[in-house]
């Protein structure tokens, strides 16, 4: 029995489908060295009229930013925040394993606990829709997260979309971003300017994080091969290359949910 299998079993008694793995099976996560935005931008290239900020499904019922102050946090019971999840039959067993591994990663460092949905009214459902996208925060009832096959089933991408569902926006649009990054709107593709609009975020006393899995890269939505975003402290700093949650991503989740 492999260490990966033992780890999954020890951390996820609530995600029972991990037990579908066979003894000795080694999970293959699709090219985990790719950053989340690289795959999201590629897969969502034709969805610009549907999504906001690249991979966020707008909530037409209310203004959700910052929604965590007005009820879109997931409820906490005792020491843990239990988030019910479900998956459609769209995914192969190996793709399910990638998604589960990404969910389990939250158990290791936060008080978020993903549980298989039984009769809960509010829950996340992962399915292979068109593109990679999520809503920001808890929306009530069945809440989809789209992870298109052959484009979105990556460890970092799943983490990225789940962090949206927990209530977080992209790092480069946070309310204090102008102190840390330059945005070059003259280099942004026509129609993509809204991806760089600031949001009135609650930054929870955490520093701006260039290494966040929620940060855009330097050339995001560039129309001319020139940067659309750069760090003020070091214009040559490479942005948006995270392949997993940073320590600050984790700290923000823990502060928001008082872990």
């Amino acid at each position: 029995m492999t260490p990966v299998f033992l780890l999954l079993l020890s951390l996820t008694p609530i995600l029972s489908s991990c037990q579908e793995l066979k003894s000795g099976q080694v999970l293959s996560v699709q090219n985990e060295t790719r950053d989340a935005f690289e795959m999201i931008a590629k897969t969502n290239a034709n969805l610009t009229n549907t999504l906001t900020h690249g991979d966020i499904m707008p909530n037409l019922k209310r203004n959700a930013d910052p929604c965590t102050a007005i009820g879109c946090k997931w409820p906490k019971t005792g020491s843990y925040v239990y988030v019910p999840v479900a998956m459609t039959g769209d995914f192969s067993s190996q793709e399910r394993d990638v998604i589960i591994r990404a969910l389990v990663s939250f158990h290791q460092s936060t008080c978020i606990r993903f549980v298989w949905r039984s009769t809960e009214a509010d829950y996340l459902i992962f399915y292979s829709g068109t593109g990679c996208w999520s809503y920001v925060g808890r929306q009530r009832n069945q809440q989809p997260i789209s992870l298109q096959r052959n484009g979105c089933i990556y460890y970092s991408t799943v983490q990225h979309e789940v962090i949206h569902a927990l209530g977080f926006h992209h790092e480069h649009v946070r309310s204090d971003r102008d102190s840390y990054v330059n945005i070059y709107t003259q280099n942004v593709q026509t129609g993509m300017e809204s991806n760089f609009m600031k949001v009135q975020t609650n930054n929870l006393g955490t520093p701006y994080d260039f290494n966040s899995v929620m940060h855009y890269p330097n050339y995001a939505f560039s129309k001319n091969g020139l940067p659309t975003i750069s760090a003020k402290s070091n214009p040559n700093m490479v942005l948006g290359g995270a392949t997993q949650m940073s320590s600050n991503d984790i700290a923000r989740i823990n502060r928001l949910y008082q872990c």
Side-chain angles (χ1 to χ4, degrees):
M1 189 175 294
T2 66
V4 169
F5 182 63
L6 288 172
L7 177 64
L8 286 171
L9 286 180
S10 64
L11 290 174
T12 59
I14 55 178
L15 294 178
S16 60
S17 73
C18 291
Q19 297 172 15
E20 296 172 5
L21 300 179
K22 296 179 180 179
S23 178
Q25 180 179 0
V26 177
L27 298 181
S28 175
V29 179
Q30 299 179 28
N31 197 351
E32 283 193 41
T33 60
R34 294 186 181 183
D35 65 86
F37 181 82
E38 175 188 359
M39 304 312 302
I40 291 169
K42 180 179 179 181
T43 307
N44 291 357
N46 297 320
L47 298 176
T48 56
N49 293 329
T50 305
L51 303 174
T52 63
H53 291 276
D55 67 331
I56 294 173
M57 185 62 69
N59 180 2
L60 301 180
K61 296 180 181 179
R62 65 169 184 254
N63 181 0
D65 295 315
C67 71
T68 53
I70 56 173
C72 81
K73 286 171 61 177
W74 293 84
K76 191 174 185 181
T77 303
S79 299
Y80 299 107
V81 177
Y82 295 102
V83 181
V85 299
M87 292 186 205
T88 65
D90 298 339
F91 306 109
S92 69
S93 59
Q94 191 165 35
E95 289 167 338
R96 286 172 61 91
D97 295 339
V98 174
I99 297 169
I100 290 170
R101 285 190 64 187
L103 294 175
V104 169
S105 68
F106 289 83
H107 299 187
Q108 300 176 48
S109 52
T110 76
C111 62
I112 307 297
R113 295 293 182 271
F114 293 101
V115 300
W116 290 116
R117 187 246 180 177
S118 55
T119 60
E120 293 88 353
D122 299 342
Y123 64 100
L124 301 177
I125 182 164
F126 296 88
Y127 81 111
S128 179
T130 303
C132 327
W133 55 261
S134 175
Y135 290 89
V136 173
R138 179 171 60 110
Q139 301 297 300
R140 304 302 177 95
N141 302 313
Q142 184 187 88
Q143 179 174 334
I145 291 182
S146 174
L147 297 173
Q148 181 180 319
R149 299 185 70 189
N150 302 316
C152 305
I153 313 298
Y154 296 87
Y155 187 84
S156 60
T157 304
V158 177
Q159 282 189 337
H160 182 105
E161 300 304 341
V162 168
I163 291 175
H164 278 319
L166 292 176
F168 294 89
H169 225 293
H170 293 127
E171 186 72 0
H172 74 283
V173 301
R174 58 185 268 173
S175 56
D176 62 350
R177 67 97 183 271
D178 291 335
S179 297
Y180 302 96
V181 295
N182 292 310
I183 303 296
Y184 305 105
T185 55
Q186 69 272 21
N187 298 331
V188 177
Q189 297 170 22
T190 301
M192 297 296 186
E193 295 87 353
S194 63
N195 290 291
F196 298 89
M197 292 178 62
K198 284 193 298 183
V199 174
Q200 292 305 307
T201 53
N202 176 1
N203 301 318
L204 299 159
T206 60
Y208 190 92
D209 185 9
F210 297 106
N211 298 313
S212 171
V213 76
M214 308 304 286
H215 204 296
Y216 272 17
N218 304 75
Y219 298 89
F221 299 109
S222 176
K223 67 180 179 183
N224 52 16
L226 297 175
T228 55
I229 182 170
S230 70
K232 286 190 171 182
S233 60
N234 177 8
N236 295 318
M237 182 186 298
V238 176
L239 306 177
T243 57
Q244 62 182 345
M245 292 186 291
S246 70
S247 58
N248 274 311
D249 289 328
I250 293 167
R252 276 191 279 271
I253 293 170
N254 285 331
R255 291 189 186 186
L256 178 62
Y257 286 96
Q258 299 179 335
C259 296

